[in-house]
Amino acid sequence: QKEVEQNSGPLSVPEGAIASLNCTYSDRGSQSFFWYRQYSGKSPELIMFIYSNGDKEDGRFTAQLNKASQYVSLLIRDSQPSDSATYLCAVRGTDKLIFGTGTRLQVFP
Amino acid sequence: DTGVSQDPRHKITKRGQNVTFRCDPISEHNRLYWYRQTLGQGPEFLTYFQNEAQLEKSRLLSDRFSAERPKGSFSTLEIQRTEQGDSAMYLCASSDRDRPYEQYFGPGTRLTVT
């Protein structure tokens, strides 16, 4: 079992819709969770982090964490074509981040 | 406020050659990380420094790989006797002492070994 799992996608949503990206992790003791956006050929960009159970909102992005079920999700409201990218989930390991393989999101006009 | 910078951005080398990459972190960040990313995968941790001390190395970091951060500022990653399997994007990230896990990545160095 991989430490951080994501559906590779692609997830296709129409412009203006809500995109929901999910991630599960295996280490029940994990404390910190991160979402990175990566455009094709570019490096990952940190867009959200969440440390406590519940929701955290930042603009059009909402991160949701459920430690009991060991999943973290990212919601993107009012999706735009410019949101089309790969979204990487990362979990804090011992002094490093452990990444999933990413979910490719496609937002079509 | 400048971000993390890496040099070169692209490197093509022949198998067996040595290559060296440089990373300049965000100036107030004391932690510096190296990751490697291949197509379709997430970044994989290689090693990290807190100031000038190298505190952890992944088992992915074979004896052909060495990293330094001599003055606690920029870092170099050297790969000796490159192999085709070393072809990847090498990413550097940095973070500050108060939020060590909020890591900010540089643009990466894409290595192609022919």
Side-chain angles (χ1 to χ4, degrees):
Chain A
Q1 181 188 9
K2 291 186 177 179
E3 294 184 78
V4 180
E5 297 212 43
Q6 297 181 256
N7 187 317
S8 61
L11 173 66
S12 293
V13 300
E15 185 174 357
I18 296 175
S20 177
L21 303 154
N22 300 312
C23 169
T24 59
Y25 59 93
S26 60
D27 183 355
R28 185 170 290 278
S30 297
Q31 296 293 318
S32 310
F33 306 86
F34 305 84
W35 283 99
Y36 284 80
R37 177 176 62 199
Q38 186 170 30
Y39 292 112
S40 180
K42 303 296 186 182
S43 62
E45 174 192 6
L46 179 62
I47 55 172
M48 288 287 287
F49 52 86
I50 185 166
Y51 301 150
S52 304
N53 270 334
D55 295 0
K56 178 182 178 183
E57 187 174 318
D58 183 2
R60 295 187 297 112
F61 299 105
T62 299
Q64 299 176 316
L65 175 59
N66 184 323
K67 290 185 179 180
S69 300
Q70 294 177 244
Y71 83 76
V72 57
S73 61
L74 179 70
L75 302 178
I76 306 174
R77 289 182 299 282
D78 189 24
S79 295
Q80 301 297 309
S82 59
D83 295 325
S84 298
T86 296
Y87 290 80
L88 296 161
C89 172
V91 174
R92 170 189 161 184
T94 306
D95 291 325
K96 60 183 175 284
L97 295 180
I98 301 167
F99 286 84
T101 55
T103 298
R104 189 157 63 95
L105 173 67
Q106 294 178 334
V107 181
F108 56 91
Chain B
D1 176 31
T2 57
V4 179
S5 62
Q6 292 187 246
D7 185 70
R9 297 289 301 276
H10 303 273
K11 179 72 177 178
I12 300 173
T13 191
K14 293 185 178 180
R15 188 177 54 185
Q17 298 295 303
N18 299 344
V19 294
T20 300
F21 310 141
R22 175 177 169 131
C23 171
D24 287 87
I26 294 170
S27 59
E28 63 269 25
H29 286 184
N30 71 327
R31 287 196 177 196
L32 186 150
Y33 302 80
W34 286 100
Y35 290 83
R36 180 172 68 186
Q37 186 177 25
T38 55
L39 195 62
Q41 301 298 313
E44 294 177 293
F45 170 80
L46 293 178
T47 189
Y48 94 97
F49 295 83
Q50 181 165 293
N51 300 313
E52 65 275 11
Q54 187 174 18
L55 296 186
E56 187 175 344
K57 292 193 290 186
S58 164
R59 61 180 182 278
L60 292 176
L61 214 64
S62 75
D63 291 345
R64 297 184 297 106
F65 288 71
S66 62
E68 295 183 341
R69 194 183 183 197
K71 298 183 179 178
S73 57
F74 72 91
S75 174
T76 59
L77 177 69
E78 181 183 16
I79 309 174
Q80 296 182 326
R81 305 181 303 282
T82 52
E83 301 173 356
Q84 287 187 319
D86 297 331
S87 295
M89 174 79 88
Y90 289 83
L91 295 162
C92 176
S94 70
S95 63
D96 71 27
R97 67 181 74 246
D98 294 329
R99 293 179 294 274
Y101 300 102
E102 295 168 25
Q103 299 177 16
Y104 296 88
F105 283 87
T109 294
R110 182 167 297 283
L111 173 66
T112 303
V113 181
T114 61

